Amino acid sequence: GIRTLVERDASLLRTVATWAESLPALPNQQQGQAKRLIATELVDAVDEFMSRIFEELDYRREAENAVTFAKLYSARYDAAPEVQVVVPEILPNLCSENVIVMEWLEGTKLTD
């Protein structure tokens, strides 16, 4: 599934970052303190980025975020009376890492 594909992409990105970090500085750059061509910690950046991607792939987390959003902004909770936002109710007992289930709402799309 998508998780396997993202894991492969993460591995490839990490390999490229490791290679890029290993490149030595150019001869005219070595007079200063630069020992590498790229001084940034690319592997750390890739690891952080991929950890956020994997968080986004977990629909249980997305369900939690939707509940938090509803509590903050939904007319159902009277959180913001001046704003008439309707947020579908999440059905947590039916949600999993791969599936998010929420109530069906009839209405008009914002783009219509």
Side-chain angles (χ1 to χ4, degrees):
I2 188 73
R3 187 172 190 82
T4 302
L5 181 61
V6 171
E7 286 170 351
R8 277 193 242 144
D9 288 349
S11 177
L12 178 61
L13 281 171
R14 199 166 202 291
T15 300
V16 171
T18 300
W19 173 79
E21 281 185 358
S22 72
L23 296 174
L26 297 174
N28 61 350
Q29 289 179 315
Q30 290 181 352
Q31 294 170 351
Q33 291 186 8
K35 295 181 178 138
R36 299 185 330 195
L37 181 62
I38 299 171
T40 303
E41 301 297 326
L42 294 177
V43 173
D44 290 345
V46 166
D47 288 345
E48 180 65 22
F49 175 74
M50 293 314 301
S51 72
R52 300 296 158 244
I53 294 294
F54 286 117
E55 285 177 7
E56 292 295 318
L57 288 175
D58 187 342
Y59 281 1
R60 291 172 298 201
R61 187 175 189 91
E62 287 301 307
E64 291 171 8
N65 290 340
V67 169
T68 300
F69 181 84
K71 288 179 180 175
L72 290 172
Y73 302 108
S74 177
R76 178 178 291 166
Y77 293 97
D78 292 327
E82 67 280 1
V83 180
Q84 295 299 313
V85 175
V86 178
V87 180
E89 180 182 351
I90 301 296
L91 305 173
N93 57 331
L94 300 176
C95 295
S96 71
E97 181 181 358
N98 299 314
V99 176
I100 187 168
V101 180
M102 60 187 79
E103 74 175 310
W104 177 264
L105 294 175
E106 292 291 338
T108 304
K109 291 171 52 174
L110 292 175
T111 56
D112 290 345

